[in-house]
Amino acid sequence: FEKNGRGSATIRTARQAFEYLKDMRDFPKEQLRGIYLNSRHRVVHDEVISLGSVNANIIHPREVFRPALEHGAVALLVAHNHPSGDPQPSAEDIRVTHQLMDAGKVLGIDFLDHLVVVPHKFASIISLLGLR
């Protein structure tokens, strides 16, 4: 990702998002983060949406999209870590990704990706499903 002059990051790719999210790679519990972007793909807000147990996290579209509406974001992506170290998305991760894509369409907010991050790699669920 690139930093602009005011200190906010510009994120255009899953790889840039993974670099931006390096602080959550080794977290011992699942953490869901939302990264909210303006029309130039600059981060306008970054929030921990929820904390889960060692292997579970509950994701509701209203919790994901509320900060987008509050901060005037036009696009967003979410990421969560897998403490197990396996970046393979679960069936629930895939289900939630579809749900978030649908919610974004209804709200007019571009849902860019759902990443699963582990210490040295990541999985883009959108890319894995061939949805972009």
Side-chain angles (χ1 to χ4, degrees):
F1 69 98
E2 71 186 61
K3 291 273 194 175
N4 65 31
R6 294 178 309 215
S8 67
T10 300
I11 298 175
R12 295 189 182 278
T13 67
R15 166 77 47 203
Q16 289 171 329
F18 177 67
E19 294 300 322
Y20 178 84
L21 295 163
K22 64 181 167 237
D23 61 323
M24 72 181 285
R25 295 178 193 173
D26 293 310
F27 203 66
K29 293 183 181 180
E30 273 200 23
Q31 177 185 80
L32 175 70
R33 288 227 339 240
I35 309 299
Y36 301 89
L37 308 171
N38 67 15
S39 61
R40 294 183 177 182
H41 287 253
R42 289 190 181 132
V43 175
V44 295
H45 186 65
D46 174 352
E47 178 173 316
V48 175
I49 298 166
S50 69
L51 294 173
S53 64
V54 171
N55 62 358
N57 200 341
I58 305 298
I59 303 173
H60 295 286
R62 68 180 171 271
E63 310 302 326
V64 172
F65 284 92
R66 178 190 46 77
L69 297 168
E70 290 174 355
H71 295 276
V74 300
L76 70 93
L77 61 95
V78 297
H80 75 278
N81 61 312
H82 277 181
S84 68
D86 180 3
Q88 186 66 31
S90 68
E92 179 67 6
D93 294 339
I94 292 167
R95 186 192 67 74
V96 165
T97 300
H98 283 290
Q99 195 176 39
L100 294 173
M101 288 181 72
D102 291 344
K105 287 175 189 165
V106 169
L107 293 170
I109 297 170
D110 193 13
F111 181 75
L112 299 174
D113 212 336
H114 181 178
L115 302 181
V116 179
V117 299
V118 297
H120 302 291
K121 55 189 168 186
F122 68 96
S124 161
I125 296 175
I126 296 289
S127 292
L128 289 172
L129 297 176
L131 298 172
R132 284 232 190 255

PDB file of all heavy atoms in Angstrom, residues 31-51:
ATOM      1  N   GLN A  31     -10.012 -11.988  14.857  1.00  0.00           N
ATOM      2  CA  GLN A  31     -10.349 -10.575  14.892  1.00  0.00           C
ATOM      3  C   GLN A  31     -10.882 -10.218  13.508  1.00  0.00           C
ATOM      4  O   GLN A  31     -10.262 -10.575  12.503  1.00  0.00           O
ATOM      5  CB  GLN A  31      -9.095  -9.758  15.194  1.00  0.00           C
ATOM      6  CG  GLN A  31      -9.302  -8.260  15.192  1.00  0.00           C
ATOM      7  CD  GLN A  31      -7.993  -7.511  15.374  1.00  0.00           C
ATOM      8  OE1 GLN A  31      -7.245  -7.344  14.422  1.00  0.00           O
ATOM      9  NE2 GLN A  31      -7.717  -7.078  16.591  1.00  0.00           N
ATOM     10  N   LEU A  32     -12.017  -9.549  13.456  1.00  0.00           N
ATOM     11  CA  LEU A  32     -12.562  -9.078  12.189  1.00  0.00           C
ATOM     12  C   LEU A  32     -12.347  -7.575  12.108  1.00  0.00           C
ATOM     13  O   LEU A  32     -12.746  -6.840  13.013  1.00  0.00           O
ATOM     14  CB  LEU A  32     -14.051  -9.380  12.086  1.00  0.00           C
ATOM     15  CG  LEU A  32     -14.733  -8.812  10.834  1.00  0.00           C
ATOM     16  CD1 LEU A  32     -14.276  -9.569   9.585  1.00  0.00           C
ATOM     17  CD2 LEU A  32     -16.232  -8.854  10.973  1.00  0.00           C
ATOM     18  N   ARG A  33     -11.678  -7.136  11.036  1.00  0.00           N
ATOM     19  CA  ARG A  33     -11.429  -5.712  10.830  1.00  0.00           C
ATOM     20  C   ARG A  33     -12.101  -5.257   9.558  1.00  0.00           C
ATOM     21  O   ARG A  33     -12.137  -5.975   8.569  1.00  0.00           O
ATOM     22  CB  ARG A  33      -9.933  -5.429  10.678  1.00  0.00           C
ATOM     23  CG  ARG A  33      -9.229  -5.574  11.968  1.00  0.00           C
ATOM     24  CD  ARG A  33      -8.272  -4.563  12.445  1.00  0.00           C
ATOM     25  NE  ARG A  33      -7.591  -3.605  11.648  1.00  0.00           N
ATOM     26  CZ  ARG A  33      -6.265  -3.535  11.560  1.00  0.00           C
ATOM     27  NH1 ARG A  33      -5.500  -4.443  12.139  1.00  0.00           N
ATOM     28  NH2 ARG A  33      -5.702  -2.570  10.890  1.00  0.00           N
ATOM     29  N   GLY A  34     -12.602  -4.043   9.601  1.00  0.00           N
ATOM     30  CA  GLY A  34     -13.147  -3.396   8.413  1.00  0.00           C
ATOM     31  C   GLY A  34     -12.234  -2.256   8.018  1.00  0.00           C
ATOM     32  O   GLY A  34     -11.809  -1.475   8.877  1.00  0.00           O
ATOM     33  N   ILE A  35     -11.921  -2.169   6.732  1.00  0.00           N
ATOM     34  CA  ILE A  35     -11.119  -1.084   6.187  1.00  0.00           C
ATOM     35  C   ILE A  35     -12.047  -0.326   5.239  1.00  0.00           C
ATOM     36  O   ILE A  35     -12.553  -0.903   4.265  1.00  0.00           O
ATOM     37  CB  ILE A  35      -9.877  -1.607   5.417  1.00  0.00           C
ATOM     38  CG1 ILE A  35      -9.097  -2.615   6.262  1.00  0.00           C
ATOM     39  CG2 ILE A  35      -9.014  -0.448   4.947  1.00  0.00           C
ATOM     40  CD1 ILE A  35      -8.554  -2.087   7.552  1.00  0.00           C
ATOM     41  N   TYR A  36     -12.252   0.947   5.522  1.00  0.00           N
ATOM     42  CA  TYR A  36     -13.235   1.759   4.814  1.00  0.00           C
ATOM     43  C   TYR A  36     -12.510   2.794   3.952  1.00  0.00           C
ATOM     44  O   TYR A  36     -11.627   3.496   4.439  1.00  0.00           O
ATOM     45  CB  TYR A  36     -14.166   2.419   5.837  1.00  0.00           C
ATOM     46  CG  TYR A  36     -14.858   1.365   6.670  1.00  0.00           C
ATOM     47  CD1 TYR A  36     -14.284   0.892   7.847  1.00  0.00           C
ATOM     48  CD2 TYR A  36     -16.041   0.799   6.241  1.00  0.00           C
ATOM     49  CE1 TYR A  36     -14.889  -0.120   8.580  1.00  0.00           C
ATOM     50  CE2 TYR A  36     -16.659  -0.204   6.973  1.00  0.00           C
ATOM     51  CZ  TYR A  36     -16.082  -0.660   8.136  1.00  0.00           C
ATOM     52  OH  TYR A  36     -16.689  -1.660   8.851  1.00  0.00           O
ATOM     53  N   LEU A  37     -12.907   2.866   2.682  1.00  0.00           N
ATOM     54  CA  LEU A  37     -12.173   3.654   1.698  1.00  0.00           C
ATOM     55  C   LEU A  37     -13.047   4.724   1.044  1.00  0.00           C
ATOM     56  O   LEU A  37     -14.256   4.522   0.864  1.00  0.00           O
ATOM     57  CB  LEU A  37     -11.640   2.725   0.601  1.00  0.00           C
ATOM     58  CG  LEU A  37     -10.842   1.502   1.067  1.00  0.00           C
ATOM     59  CD1 LEU A  37     -10.587   0.569  -0.105  1.00  0.00           C
ATOM     60  CD2 LEU A  37      -9.550   1.919   1.732  1.00  0.00           C
ATOM     61  N   ASN A  38     -12.378   5.813   0.626  1.00  0.00           N
ATOM     62  CA  ASN A  38     -13.084   6.831  -0.144  1.00  0.00           C
ATOM     63  C   ASN A  38     -12.989   6.508  -1.635  1.00  0.00           C
ATOM     64  O   ASN A  38     -12.466   5.454  -2.016  1.00  0.00           O
ATOM     65  CB  ASN A  38     -12.566   8.239   0.193  1.00  0.00           C
ATOM     66  CG  ASN A  38     -11.132   8.494  -0.256  1.00  0.00           C
ATOM     67  OD1 ASN A  38     -10.556   7.757  -1.059  1.00  0.00           O
ATOM     68  ND2 ASN A  38     -10.547   9.551   0.283  1.00  0.00           N
ATOM     69  N   SER A  39     -13.445   7.422  -2.475  1.00  0.00           N
ATOM     70  CA  SER A  39     -13.474   7.150  -3.918  1.00  0.00           C
ATOM     71  C   SER A  39     -12.080   7.035  -4.532  1.00  0.00           C
ATOM     72  O   SER A  39     -11.935   6.515  -5.632  1.00  0.00           O
ATOM     73  CB  SER A  39     -14.276   8.230  -4.640  1.00  0.00           C
ATOM     74  OG  SER A  39     -13.672   9.489  -4.435  1.00  0.00           O
ATOM     75  N   ARG A  40     -11.054   7.480  -3.825  1.00  0.00           N
ATOM     76  CA  ARG A  40      -9.672   7.342  -4.303  1.00  0.00           C
ATOM     77  C   ARG A  40      -8.951   6.167  -3.640  1.00  0.00           C
ATOM     78  O   ARG A  40      -7.729   6.080  -3.688  1.00  0.00           O
ATOM     79  CB  ARG A  40      -8.908   8.632  -4.049  1.00  0.00           C
ATOM     80  CG  ARG A  40      -9.446   9.772  -4.878  1.00  0.00           C
ATOM     81  CD  ARG A  40      -8.637  11.006  -4.666  1.00  0.00           C
ATOM     82  NE  ARG A  40      -9.144  12.046  -5.546  1.00  0.00           N
ATOM     83  CZ  ARG A  40      -8.636  13.240  -5.631  1.00  0.00           C
ATOM     84  NH1 ARG A  40      -7.583  13.565  -4.894  1.00  0.00           N
ATOM     85  NH2 ARG A  40      -9.152  14.123  -6.448  1.00  0.00           N
ATOM     86  N   HIS A  41      -9.706   5.332  -2.994  1.00  0.00           N
ATOM     87  CA  HIS A  41      -9.197   4.139  -2.301  1.00  0.00           C
ATOM     88  C   HIS A  41      -8.274   4.487  -1.133  1.00  0.00           C
ATOM     89  O   HIS A  41      -7.433   3.682  -0.742  1.00  0.00           O
ATOM     90  CB  HIS A  41      -8.506   3.164  -3.275  1.00  0.00           C
ATOM     91  CG  HIS A  41      -9.488   2.451  -4.137  1.00  0.00           C
ATOM     92  ND1 HIS A  41      -9.797   1.140  -3.954  1.00  0.00           N
ATOM     93  CD2 HIS A  41     -10.251   2.868  -5.166  1.00  0.00           C
ATOM     94  CE1 HIS A  41     -10.711   0.775  -4.835  1.00  0.00           C
ATOM     95  NE2 HIS A  41     -10.992   1.806  -5.583  1.00  0.00           N
ATOM     96  N   ARG A  42      -8.458   5.648  -0.571  1.00  0.00           N
ATOM     97  CA  ARG A  42      -7.725   6.024   0.637  1.00  0.00           C
ATOM     98  C   ARG A  42      -8.526   5.589   1.852  1.00  0.00           C
ATOM     99  O   ARG A  42      -9.749   5.705   1.886  1.00  0.00           O
ATOM    100  CB  ARG A  42      -7.486   7.535   0.687  1.00  0.00           C
ATOM    101  CG  ARG A  42      -6.478   7.981  -0.332  1.00  0.00           C
ATOM    102  CD  ARG A  42      -6.077   9.428  -0.124  1.00  0.00           C
ATOM    103  NE  ARG A  42      -5.120   9.800  -1.146  1.00  0.00           N
ATOM    104  CZ  ARG A  42      -5.196  10.896  -1.875  1.00  0.00           C
ATOM    105  NH1 ARG A  42      -6.176  11.761  -1.682  1.00  0.00           N
ATOM    106  NH2 ARG A  42      -4.279  11.156  -2.779  1.00  0.00           N
ATOM    107  N   VAL A  43      -7.809   5.106   2.846  1.00  0.00           N
ATOM    108  CA  VAL A  43      -8.464   4.661   4.074  1.00  0.00           C
ATOM    109  C   VAL A  43      -9.035   5.882   4.810  1.00  0.00           C
ATOM    110  O   VAL A  43      -8.308   6.816   5.123  1.00  0.00           O
ATOM    111  CB  VAL A  43      -7.467   3.902   4.984  1.00  0.00           C
ATOM    112  CG1 VAL A  43      -8.130   3.544   6.316  1.00  0.00           C
ATOM    113  CG2 VAL A  43      -6.935   2.656   4.282  1.00  0.00           C
ATOM    114  N   VAL A  44     -10.337   5.850   5.037  1.00  0.00           N
ATOM    115  CA  VAL A  44     -10.987   6.905   5.820  1.00  0.00           C
ATOM    116  C   VAL A  44     -11.321   6.412   7.223  1.00  0.00           C
ATOM    117  O   VAL A  44     -11.565   7.211   8.119  1.00  0.00           O
ATOM    118  CB  VAL A  44     -12.249   7.465   5.133  1.00  0.00           C
ATOM    119  CG1 VAL A  44     -11.881   8.171   3.835  1.00  0.00           C
ATOM    120  CG2 VAL A  44     -13.302   6.394   4.891  1.00  0.00           C
ATOM    121  N   HIS A  45     -11.313   5.086   7.397  1.00  0.00           N
ATOM    122  CA  HIS A  45     -11.593   4.525   8.716  1.00  0.00           C
ATOM    123  C   HIS A  45     -11.129   3.073   8.735  1.00  0.00           C
ATOM    124  O   HIS A  45     -11.182   2.383   7.726  1.00  0.00           O
ATOM    125  CB  HIS A  45     -13.098   4.607   9.015  1.00  0.00           C
ATOM    126  CG  HIS A  45     -13.459   4.195  10.404  1.00  0.00           C
ATOM    127  ND1 HIS A  45     -13.054   4.903  11.522  1.00  0.00           N
ATOM    128  CD2 HIS A  45     -14.170   3.150  10.864  1.00  0.00           C
ATOM    129  CE1 HIS A  45     -13.517   4.287  12.599  1.00  0.00           C
ATOM    130  NE2 HIS A  45     -14.191   3.230  12.234  1.00  0.00           N
ATOM    131  N   ASP A  46     -10.698   2.636   9.900  1.00  0.00           N
ATOM    132  CA  ASP A  46     -10.208   1.278  10.116  1.00  0.00           C
ATOM    133  C   ASP A  46     -10.717   0.880  11.494  1.00  0.00           C
ATOM    134  O   ASP A  46     -10.485   1.601  12.459  1.00  0.00           O
ATOM    135  CB  ASP A  46      -8.675   1.302  10.061  1.00  0.00           C
ATOM    136  CG  ASP A  46      -8.017  -0.022  10.415  1.00  0.00           C
ATOM    137  OD1 ASP A  46      -8.697  -0.955  10.864  1.00  0.00           O
ATOM    138  OD2 ASP A  46      -6.791  -0.095  10.256  1.00  0.00           O
ATOM    139  N   GLU A  47     -11.428  -0.218  11.559  1.00  0.00           N
ATOM    140  CA  GLU A  47     -12.073  -0.568  12.830  1.00  0.00           C
ATOM    141  C   GLU A  47     -12.062  -2.068  13.079  1.00  0.00           C
ATOM    142  O   GLU A  47     -12.301  -2.855  12.166  1.00  0.00           O
ATOM    143  CB  GLU A  47     -13.519  -0.058  12.770  1.00  0.00           C
ATOM    144  CG  GLU A  47     -14.351  -0.374  13.972  1.00  0.00           C
ATOM    145  CD  GLU A  47     -15.711   0.304  13.915  1.00  0.00           C
ATOM    146  OE1 GLU A  47     -15.798   1.497  13.569  1.00  0.00           O
ATOM    147  OE2 GLU A  47     -16.696  -0.385  14.226  1.00  0.00           O
ATOM    148  N   VAL A  48     -11.824  -2.445  14.318  1.00  0.00           N
ATOM    149  CA  VAL A  48     -12.041  -3.832  14.739  1.00  0.00           C
ATOM    150  C   VAL A  48     -13.544  -3.962  14.946  1.00  0.00           C
ATOM    151  O   VAL A  48     -14.125  -3.296  15.801  1.00  0.00           O
ATOM    152  CB  VAL A  48     -11.268  -4.172  16.029  1.00  0.00           C
ATOM    153  CG1 VAL A  48     -11.625  -5.572  16.505  1.00  0.00           C
ATOM    154  CG2 VAL A  48      -9.770  -4.046  15.801  1.00  0.00           C
ATOM    155  N   ILE A  49     -14.152  -4.801  14.127  1.00  0.00           N
ATOM    156  CA  ILE A  49     -15.605  -4.969  14.181  1.00  0.00           C
ATOM    157  C   ILE A  49     -15.996  -5.962  15.258  1.00  0.00           C
ATOM    158  O   ILE A  49     -16.970  -5.772  15.972  1.00  0.00           O
ATOM    159  CB  ILE A  49     -16.143  -5.404  12.801  1.00  0.00           C
ATOM    160  CG1 ILE A  49     -15.844  -4.306  11.774  1.00  0.00           C
ATOM    161  CG2 ILE A  49     -17.631  -5.698  12.864  1.00  0.00           C
ATOM    162  CD1 ILE A  49     -16.024  -4.748  10.340  1.00  0.00           C
ATOM    163  N   SER A  50     -15.219  -7.030  15.371  1.00  0.00           N
ATOM    164  CA  SER A  50     -15.514  -7.996  16.429  1.00  0.00           C
ATOM    165  C   SER A  50     -14.289  -8.840  16.746  1.00  0.00           C
ATOM    166  O   SER A  50     -13.377  -8.972  15.932  1.00  0.00           O
ATOM    167  CB  SER A  50     -16.690  -8.904  16.038  1.00  0.00           C
ATOM    168  OG  SER A  50     -16.332  -9.763  14.985  1.00  0.00           O
ATOM    169  N   LEU A  51     -14.301  -9.384  17.940  1.00  0.00           N
ATOM    170  CA  LEU A  51     -13.281 -10.329  18.381  1.00  0.00           C
ATOM    171  C   LEU A  51     -13.976 -11.648  18.622  1.00  0.00           C
ATOM    172  O   LEU A  51     -15.062 -11.690  19.195  1.00  0.00           O
ATOM    173  CB  LEU A  51     -12.627  -9.854  19.682  1.00  0.00           C
ATOM    174  CG  LEU A  51     -11.795  -8.583  19.601  1.00  0.00           C
ATOM    175  CD1 LEU A  51     -11.368  -8.146  20.993  1.00  0.00           C
ATOM    176  CD2 LEU A  51     -10.587  -8.812  18.726  1.00  0.00           C
TER     177      LEU A  51
END
